[in-house]
Amino acid sequence: MSIRLSDDDLLLVIDVQNDFCAGGALAVADGDAVVPVINRLTERFGHVALTQDWHPSGHSSFATSHPGSAAFETIRMPYGEQTLWPDHCVQGTTGAAFHRQLATERAELVIRKGFRPEIDSYSAFHENDRRTPTGLAGYLRERGLQRIFLAGLATDYCVYYSAMDARRLGFDTVIIEAGCRAIDLAGSLGAAWAAMAAAGVQRVNDLG
């Protein structure tokens, strides 16, 4: 599918960080493969923003913060169900840094998320309580950016949550599948694609 880009389009690059790539604490299978795709896409957009997972040590989403629990278990938190993760993207560590081959020079904005110790944050727009905003929506509206193209890691978590929030907030939303990779935990990828389709998220393999 060929899509004509305009000056009110934004490429939103989700969490292409060392801990989500090969050798990282929460590596997504084939995660490194998104880097050349995203670098190529970056050259085509007039506006680019990045998100960066940015957890303090001992974050409440880490399995190590819950004695007796294991990574990938689900627990109840005050804001709802929370998957427990291996310690990852700890502020200031190499794991939290962007992949060294990711082209970041043209990014106009970096949104850090997950820095509140008591709540996780998958979406680029809201923390997992679905109420606390990151400020991204206001930024996009003030800049007059109306259509959001998403790529990054992982399709079924941070990309998915970001896309769903973008639609809920009234933005036209497109997932570029070639620039994403998934965790697919207990069928999460299929569920994410179904929910995004129902919400009106457009899915393309790549930009022709």
Side-chain angles (χ1 to χ4, degrees), residues 1-5 11 37 40-41 44-45 149 174-178 204-208:
M1 174 181 294
S2 180
I3 293 179
R4 184 184 297 274
L5 299 179
L11 177 65
V37 177
R40 170 172 52 79
L41 291 169
R44 299 190 55 184
F45 281 82
F149 291 76
V174 183
I175 300 287
I176 305 173
E177 192 170 359
V204 298
N205 180 58
D206 206 341
L207 297 186

Side-chain angles (χ1 to χ4, degrees), residues 6-85:
S6 66
D7 197 49
D8 59 6
D9 292 334
L10 173 87
L11 177 65
L12 182 59
V13 178
I14 304 291
D15 297 357
V16 183
Q17 296 166 255
N18 291 323
D19 268 344
F20 297 128
C21 295
L26 187 50
V28 178
D30 201 30
D32 298 67
V34 306
V35 174
V37 177
I38 290 170
N39 288 348
R40 170 172 52 79
L41 291 169
T42 296
E43 294 299 318
R44 299 190 55 184
F45 281 82
H47 306 287
V48 179
L50 311 175
T51 68
Q52 187 175 24
D53 231 19
W54 196 249
H55 297 307
S57 298
H59 192 269
S60 61
S61 70
F62 295 166
T64 54
S65 298
H66 302 271
S69 297
F72 307 111
E73 287 183 5
T74 300
I75 65 168
R76 290 290 302 178
M77 297 286 275
Y79 51 84
E81 288 193 349
Q82 172 66 52
T83 300
L84 296 180
W85 305 107

Side-chain angles (χ1 to χ4, degrees), residues 82-139:
Q82 172 66 52
T83 300
L84 296 180
W85 305 107
D87 290 26
H88 66 281
C89 296
V90 174
Q91 296 170 1
T93 64
T94 300
F98 291 118
H99 190 288
R100 63 183 179 83
Q101 294 178 336
L102 182 70
T104 61
E105 296 82 2
R106 298 190 62 249
E108 298 172 346
L109 178 73
V110 176
I111 288 281
R112 285 177 167 170
K113 58 189 181 65
F115 54 79
R116 293 179 175 85
E118 72 283 359
I119 185 168
D120 206 4
S121 185
Y122 298 155
S123 171
F125 293 92
H126 282 100
E127 307 267 341
N128 282 7
D129 63 0
R130 322 306 303 137
R131 294 188 303 273
T132 305
T134 66
L136 178 58
Y139 173 87

